[in-house]
Structures are given as structure tokens and as C-alpha cells.
Amino acid sequence: GTDYFRHAFTQQYNISPMQYLNTIRIENAKLLLIKTLDSITSISLQVGFNNPAYFSEIFKKIEGMTPKQYRTLKQQTLPPLEKKVNNK
């Protein structure tokens, strides 16, 4: 069952399935933090976290800084973002 899968996955990749999933989610969040002006709460929901505080905790554990700190750091080194315009 799920225990076998978790064990086999961890043995094969040296990371648990949840750690792998969170890594993918954080990578997606990093792109959104750089490329959009979406709120951190919105980004956390977009990448699959139901709890923005937990998202920030996992982000900091993986990246060594909060999502806000990451966005600020990257905005200092990138050209300014254009505000999104809704074309309806």
C-alpha cells in the first residue's frame, strides 16, 4: 500500500514523496513570486498549500528565507514587473 510506496520512493530517490512534492511546489512558487504580483497567500494556494503559514514555513525550510524575503531579493536584481491588465 502507501507505506510500501513511501518506503520504495524514499529508498530510490533519498527523499520522501512529500518532501519531493513540497520541493516542486516551492519551485513553482518561486517562479510566481518573481513573475507575478500575486499575494503570497494566493501563490500558496495556487501551488497546492491550503495553509499560507505552513507554506511560508516549508518555503523557509527549503530556501532559507521567507517568500516575502525571496521576492524582495529577486526584485532587486530583476527589471520591474509590469502590472497585469485584464483584457476582457
Side-chain angles (χ1 to χ4, degrees):
T2 58
D3 285 342
Y4 174 77
F5 170 78
R6 188 178 319 120
H7 179 75
F9 188 99
T10 303
Q11 287 292 108
Q12 179 68 33
Y13 299 106
N14 206 28
I15 186 174
S16 76
M18 187 53 71
Q19 288 171 315
Y20 176 77
L21 180 59
N22 283 340
T23 300
I24 298 300
R25 288 173 169 170
I26 296 304
E27 287 303 312
N28 289 331
K30 286 164 54 180
L31 289 173
L32 292 170
L33 286 164
I34 294 168
K35 294 177 182 274
T36 74
L37 297 173
D38 295 354
S39 71
I40 291 168
T41 297
S42 174
I43 290 172
S44 72
L45 296 172
Q46 289 176 62
V47 300
F49 287 92
N50 295 324
N51 180 334
Y54 181 66
F55 162 71
S56 292
E57 179 185 324
I58 296 299
F59 191 100
K60 186 169 184 176
K61 187 182 287 185
I62 292 174
E63 292 301 317
M65 65 184 79
T66 66
K68 184 176 181 181
Q69 290 169 330
Y70 180 86
R71 176 177 265 169
T72 301
L73 178 70
K74 293 301 178 181
Q75 285 176 345
Q76 291 171 354
T77 59
L78 294 172
L81 292 173
E82 298 289 325
K83 286 208 184 265
K84 282 198 248 179
V85 177
N86 283 338
N87 295 326
K88 291 189 176 184

